[in-house]
Amino acid sequence: CTFITTINPTAPAVVNANDVMVIMINSDTSVADTIQALAETALTGWVDLVNEGLTTTRARRAMYRICDGTEDSASLTVTATFTAGGANRRVHANTFLFSGSGSGLIDTSSGGANTGTSTSAALAALTTTLANQLGIGLVWANNSTTLSSATGETGYDWVEAAAEDNATNSTIGVQTVSMAASGTVGGSPVVTLGASGTWKTFVFALKELVVAAGAILPVRSPIFSHHIFR
């Protein structure tokens, strides 16, 4: 049989056309089990950034969508499907909204992913060839813990964009770095966990949006972080 856990996070109250919405999903089960699916299904147009672990007791997923401005306070549906029944299955979701990026302006080739088990979650180096990009670092931890702003980087500074969101055996967080010029955020950036645990990070960039008349919008910042769940 299967056991389905569903939660219904709400999108931010104000969403504009060309905003980029990112949803991070984490799962937990306290018994031996496998996860068949982990997804948000209320809105269409999601593109995977990370989709892993669907045959283990843990699964992580991150997706983004280019908004059309009709998503204000939209009710999302995040569902995890497990292979067995029981009450000890959990799913954790968090949405982040970034302003003014637009279709095709997600750059996943300039960063990368890391995994480990420790108190130091390493962020991949981020290299951009264009000015005014916003680097984003997604952080999952398999315990309820604190996350610091990254330290040890060179070139530009990573900062924790919003306070981490905690649930039972799960933490989700996001780091950002504003890059006024092309270049590399290198060194050995790590996000410090308050307690040792298994973690994953994924780094990518939002490219600058150039509007039809040729004007350039400023580097984007996250304009809303919506913590949901349990």
Side-chain angles (χ1 to χ4, degrees), residues 25-203:
I25 310 172
N26 208 7
S27 70
D28 167 63
T29 176
S30 59
V31 297
D33 198 357
T34 57
I35 299 164
Q36 296 175 318
L38 186 65
E40 194 289 305
T41 55
L43 296 177
T44 60
W46 291 104
V47 179
D48 270 328
L49 291 166
V50 174
N51 188 0
E52 68 167 21
L54 297 184
T55 59
T56 69
T57 58
R58 281 282 185 177
R60 307 178 187 96
R61 194 167 189 179
M63 300 175 285
Y64 76 89
R65 69 186 306 277
I66 307 300
C67 298
D68 59 19
T70 65
E71 300 87 354
D72 295 4
S73 300
S75 179
L76 309 182
T77 302
V78 175
T79 300
T81 303
F82 302 91
T83 59
N88 296 320
R89 276 72 173 168
R90 304 181 182 94
V91 60
H92 181 186
N94 199 334
T95 59
F96 298 92
L97 188 69
F98 299 89
S99 63
S101 289
S103 179
L105 297 180
I106 304 291
D107 184 358
T108 59
S109 64
S110 59
N114 284 313
T115 58
T117 302
S118 66
T119 58
S120 299
L123 299 178
L126 177 66
T127 299
T128 63
T129 58
L130 300 172
N132 295 323
Q133 294 200 40
L134 182 72
I136 299 175
L138 307 180
V139 184
W140 295 259
N142 289 356
N143 56 348
S144 182
T145 187
T146 58
L147 301 175
S148 72
S149 291
T151 59
E153 67 271 35
T154 59
Y156 293 92
D157 293 326
W158 286 103
V159 297
E160 188 177 26
E164 65 274 358
D165 193 45
N166 300 117
T168 302
N169 298 329
S170 178
T171 299
I172 285 173
V174 63
Q175 308 268 323
T176 58
V177 55
S178 295
M179 303 178 68
S182 60
T184 298
V185 186
S188 300
V190 296
V191 175
T192 300
L193 281 63
S196 181
T198 301
W199 50 264
K200 182 180 181 67
T201 62
F202 183 76
V203 172

